[in-house]
Amino acid sequence: MTTSPITSVLVANRGEIARRVFHTCKEQGIRTVAVYSTPDADAPFVREADVAVHLPGASAALTYLRADLVIEAALKAGVDAIHPGYGFLSENGDFAQAVEDAGLTWIGPSAEAIYAMGSKIESKRLVAAAGVPILAEMDPNTVAEAQLPVLIKASAGGGGRGMRIVRSVEALPAELELARAEAASAFGDSTVFCEPYLETGHHVEVQIMADRHGTVHAVGERECSIQRRHQKVVEEAPSPLVERTPGMRARLFEAAILAAKAVDYAGAGTVEFLADEQGRFFFLEMNTRLQVEHPVTECTTGLDLVAMQLHVAEGGELPAELPAAHGSSIEVRIYAEDPAADWQPQAGTLQSFEFDGLQPAFAVPARDRGVRCDSAVESGSVVSVNYDPMLAKLISWAPRRAVAARVLANALSSARLHGVRTNRDLLVRILQHPSFIAGHTDTAFLTSFGLAELSAPLLDAETERIAALAASLAAAAKRREAARVLGGLPSGWRNLPSASQTCLLKGPRAEHQISYRWSRNGVVAPGFDNVEVRSASANRVTLAVDGITSSWAVSHYLTTSGSNIVVDTQSGSASFEVIDPLPDPSAARVSAGSLIAPMPGAIAAIQVDVGDLVTEGQALIVLEAMKMLHTIVAPASGVVTELPARLGVNVDVGTVLIVVAENDSAPVAEDQKTSEEIEEKV
């Protein structure tokens, strides 16, 4: 058992969790060391560490998943201890053991506890023997039609990787193959299993903190029911379900403590349960590490969970009682993704990543309300295709849940997030949804209320149209500011009536052709009779709409395809692509039938060849991006005429992967054949 103080820590991770651990270490006078891959060389967490060690390579498999390289870096840097963060090697028992074998302190539970809980299959058997209720495990090879739907899960990890819902026996083999590939890529272990899939339910988890002297605390519960692709999107403490269900909290805490004691647990951990509306719950897994959503527990208890991890790793004892939770805290995960386009991950440069009125990042709050941002990125950061698309976590806390939701929604809607598409609008709509405000959330929330509606742009059609006018006026002002002659005159100004200036913009909802001209009385814009232009500069436009005056911030960016103008309001943003009214006719365009990469990534599998006949919906190419596998399918029946994609090659968004041409002899899927064809066949 370690008893000497920890003086230096290497964080075997990246992004916001590395920054979070560094924050507490610096507060306690502990030297910090980062390891980083080649794409992360300029990341904020690398700059903030006292020392950084380069792990050559881009993929996680070559860098953050290489236990030997991480330990070698720790020894080279002369640290006392390694903190694993979450993901990567954080729940790898072999890594924990290797750290201790190298004479370093492991800031986490014992390797034995990780082994016991690391396999979801074995952990269920273990906690069931301790009296914790579980869902029955199923052998993927024996699943029958009557047992559907089932959920395929990776035994060695979480975060949605290796998870697949299966609703037909015929689809099971292909889904198992994809799940195993995702699990192997993310965790280095392709083992998967099945369990019954409950269409609706509540994901409720309990934060555990235990020392090596026999004290185990259930610090508090969190509800994380709103998920996409089995990854959490919104997390909160306390759980609305637990709050309205008498006696549920005590039963949850008892079950979580039983699970922790079953493996002689020490350190921070989370016991996850699936619960129904009546308050019945079933063990899902135990995460033997700190969770992404730990800040909501910190905000409601005032505890620094990383500091407690360090204290336990040094051999310290926990107090007999911990502070009671109070108030409410809600966390949302900001992802670089497009929810409306099947959650496609996005990559590129974050031109702006700014929020107003934030409390100190990563800090345990000293006040009774506020908003904190735990971020992996900052303005100017490059979002890579090599890692998870989560950019940051925005966390609010307040005495009442309704207030916590409102201030969080306001912080999101007024944020300036430019350069990469994010799920910001979806998060705001969730937080403002009547069912969320009422505390009625479950794992089917996004499905129940419609992803199309929830992911719609925050600005309605009319507000977007007015924002397009503001963008046009700002663009004109920017041109005049750059003019070498008579730059003080308004753009397009004439001393006699003449043709209007025009600007064609493509916005989130529609294209907008804006016409305007300057007169002695100001701007005249057809179609905007209720709008008065008070002032217009390159970066700010003030308009009075129906007598109500507001100022909108405007930003201008050059892109590989032209230029973009972003208009930010207090209630949301609109990004406009400036369309060239006289495009070059010789500009390259993809040929008909071309299927392009919807995101940057690596070609993981090619399942057809040139000349193959394919049917609508048939899998053609598998693209790996941000630790997930994305299947490119045939949009219609036809024949493969071109196949520029090459296995293992990285491609950019918009790259032509395959060309499928219509062909009268192409096979037709059974469900597309006409009744006459079926009758003839019979």
Side-chain angles (χ1 to χ4, degrees):
M1 181 184 298
T2 303
T3 56
S4 59
I6 294 172
T7 62
S8 56
V9 170
L10 180 145
V11 179
N13 220 290
R14 63 181 298 277
E16 56 86 20
I17 184 57
R19 299 180 79 188
R20 167 68 189 91
V21 176
F22 292 163
H23 172 85
T24 292
C25 287
K26 290 178 184 295
E27 282 194 335
Q28 299 203 359
I30 296 175
R31 177 171 164 266
T32 58
V33 178
V35 288
Y36 66 95
S37 65
T38 301
D40 279 341
D42 296 322
F45 80 93
V46 178
R47 297 196 304 270
E48 291 172 6
D50 294 320
V51 175
V53 182
H54 183 213
L55 303 179
S59 70
L62 295 176
T63 55
Y64 299 109
L65 287 172
R66 284 286 302 274
D68 56 333
L69 296 183
V70 173
I71 293 174
E72 180 183 328
L75 295 174
K76 183 187 300 184
V79 303
D80 304 320
I82 289 181
H83 191 297
Y86 53 73
F88 296 135
L89 295 168
S90 63
E91 295 180 280
N92 186 307
D94 290 343
F95 179 53
Q97 189 60 58
V99 168
E100 295 191 342
D101 290 345
L104 303 171
T105 297
W106 169 254
I107 304 174
S110 67
E112 291 75 18
I114 296 175
Y115 288 134
M117 289 297 184
S119 165
K120 291 183 176 66
I121 298 172
E122 294 304 319
S123 64
K124 283 191 171 187
R125 296 171 184 167
L126 186 66
V127 301
V132 180
I134 66 168
L135 285 171
E137 172 208 337
M138 305 164 70
D139 182 346
N141 300 312
T142 62
V143 172
E145 197 76 34
Q147 296 173 299
L148 298 173
V150 297
L151 181 64
I152 304 172
K153 299 179 74 172
S155 180
R161 278 85 186 186
M163 277 189 165
R164 300 268 166 170
I165 301 171
V166 181
R167 303 182 187 280
S168 72
V169 173
E170 293 76 18
L172 189 58
E175 295 296 331
L176 280 168
E177 183 178 348
L178 286 171
R180 287 173 178 138
E182 283 185 353
S185 173
F187 314 115
D189 185 344
S190 63
T191 305
V192 299
F193 68 99
C194 291
E195 67 183 18
Y197 178 66
L198 304 183
E199 298 285 359
T200 62
H202 296 263
H203 184 113
V204 181
E205 60 189 34
V206 178
Q207 175 70 57
I208 289 293
M209 185 64 70
D211 62 22
R212 297 173 183 173
H213 306 276
T215 299
V216 181
H217 289 297
V219 183
E221 90 280 350
R222 302 183 284 256
E223 181 154 344
C224 315
S225 296
I226 299 180
Q227 303 180 7
R228 67 24 161 191
R229 286 182 168 170
H230 311 293
Q231 288 182 300
K232 301 162 187 173
V233 177
V234 181
E235 303 109 337
E236 59 180 307
S239 158
L241 173 67
V242 175
E243 286 280 275
R244 64 176 177 262
T245 307
M248 185 177 178
R249 179 170 288 119
R251 292 185 290 111
L252 267 176
F253 284 9
E254 180 184 10
I257 291 172
L258 284 174
K261 287 185 173 181
V263 292
D264 195 22
Y265 199 83
T270 303
V271 186
E272 302 194 350
F273 300 92
L274 184 65
D276 63 19
E277 194 61 40
Q278 288 70 47
R280 295 174 299 183
F281 55 84
F282 306 92
F283 174 86
L284 288 177
E285 61 183 322
M286 183 173 187
N287 291 307
T288 53
R289 53 172 169 80
L290 202 63
Q291 290 279 87
V292 179
E293 57 273 18
H294 76 273
V296 297
T297 299
E298 293 186 328
C299 289
T300 52
T301 62
L303 296 170
D304 184 329
L305 296 180
V306 175
M308 296 177 77
Q309 284 185 296
L310 294 169
H311 179 65
V312 169
E314 290 175 323
E317 295 185 44
L318 294 173
E321 298 290 337
L322 294 181
H326 63 280
S328 182
S329 180
I330 304 173
E331 172 183 295
V332 293
R333 302 188 190 189
I334 303 173
Y335 286 104
E337 66 184 11
D338 185 354
D342 195 28
W343 309 102
Q344 286 179 6
Q346 309 289 300
T349 300
L350 274 169
Q351 306 289 357
S352 177
F353 195 80
E354 300 175 358
F355 300 85
D356 292 328
L358 296 180
Q359 300 296 313
F362 309 106
V364 176
R367 298 168 49 187
D368 67 349
R369 67 191 66 209
V371 178
R372 136 186 173 185
C373 183
D374 288 9
S375 175
V377 297
E378 58 190 19
S379 296
S381 292
V382 175
V383 181
S384 167
V385 301
N386 296 292
Y387 311 111
D388 186 277
M390 191 178 81
L391 303 177
K393 307 174 308 196
L394 202 64
I395 310 107
S396 68
W397 68 97
R400 294 187 298 111
R401 183 177 180 273
V403 177
R406 186 166 60 240
V407 298
L408 186 56
N410 288 341
L412 278 167
S413 60
S414 62
R416 294 167 294 284
L417 311 180
H418 305 163
V420 175
R421 191 183 300 275
T422 72
N423 64 335
R424 183 263 301 272
D425 291 10
L426 170 75
L427 297 174
V428 173
R429 289 194 178 278
I430 290 173
L431 292 168
Q432 294 177 340
H433 197 281
S435 287
F436 180 85
I437 294 171
H440 298 306
T441 61
D442 58 32
T443 54
F445 187 93
L446 298 181
T447 303
S448 299
F449 298 108
L451 183 58
E453 178 181 343
L454 290 170
S455 62
L458 287 176
L459 300 188
D460 60 30
E462 177 60 15
T463 306
E464 178 179 304
R465 194 175 72 89
I466 297 172
L469 172 63
S472 300
L473 296 172
K478 183 176 175 62
R479 290 192 296 270
R480 294 317 303 162
E481 289 178 4
R484 297 183 179 181
V485 179
L486 299 177
L489 290 180
S491 179
W493 185 88
R494 301 289 188 274
N495 60 359
L496 293 172
S498 61
S500 297
Q501 301 292 300
T502 62
C503 185
L504 185 59
L505 302 172
K506 182 180 180 181
R509 292 180 178 271
E511 287 190 1
H512 306 272
Q513 183 167 323
I514 306 298
S515 298
Y516 64 91
R517 64 181 176 84
W518 287 89
S519 71
R520 287 181 172 83
N521 298 319
V523 176
V524 177
F528 294 93
D529 297 338
N530 63 330
V531 180
E532 179 185 348
V533 180
R534 296 289 174 84
S535 65
S537 67
N539 299 114
R540 183 163 295 276
V541 175
T542 300
L543 304 174
V545 181
D546 293 323
I548 299 176
T549 302
S550 58
S551 293
W552 293 352
V554 184
S555 302
H556 308 260
Y557 303 105
L558 291 176
T559 68
T560 55
S561 59
S563 61
N564 275 31
I565 305 174
V566 183
V567 179
D568 289 306
T569 78
Q570 284 300 112
S571 56
S573 303
S575 179
F576 297 98
E577 176 188 349
V578 180
I579 300 176
D580 187 351
L582 298 172
D584 183 355
S586 65
R589 299 183 65 85
V590 299
S591 58
S594 297
L595 302 183
I596 62 175
M599 68 205 76
I603 306 297
I606 300 174
Q607 300 178 340
V608 292
D609 206 343
V610 173
D612 286 356
L613 298 176
V614 298
T615 59
E616 180 179 351
Q618 180 178 336
L620 306 177
I621 290 175
V622 178
L623 190 66
E624 183 175 6
M626 294 178 171
K627 300 166 72 175
M628 299 289 285
L629 297 177
H630 308 268
T631 303
I632 310 298
V633 301
S637 297
V639 61
V640 178
T641 58
E642 297 179 45
L643 187 57
R646 294 292 179 267
L647 192 65
V649 172
N650 289 310
V651 296
D652 292 325
V653 62
T655 302
V656 176
L657 304 178
I658 188 170
V659 179
V660 178
E662 292 185 9
N663 189 314
D664 293 338
S665 62
V668 180
E670 284 294 329
D671 59 356
Q672 293 180 296
K673 293 182 179 180
T674 65
S675 58
E676 290 81 3
E677 288 176 300
I678 296 174
E679 288 173 3
E680 286 179 7
K681 185 176 180 181
V682 174

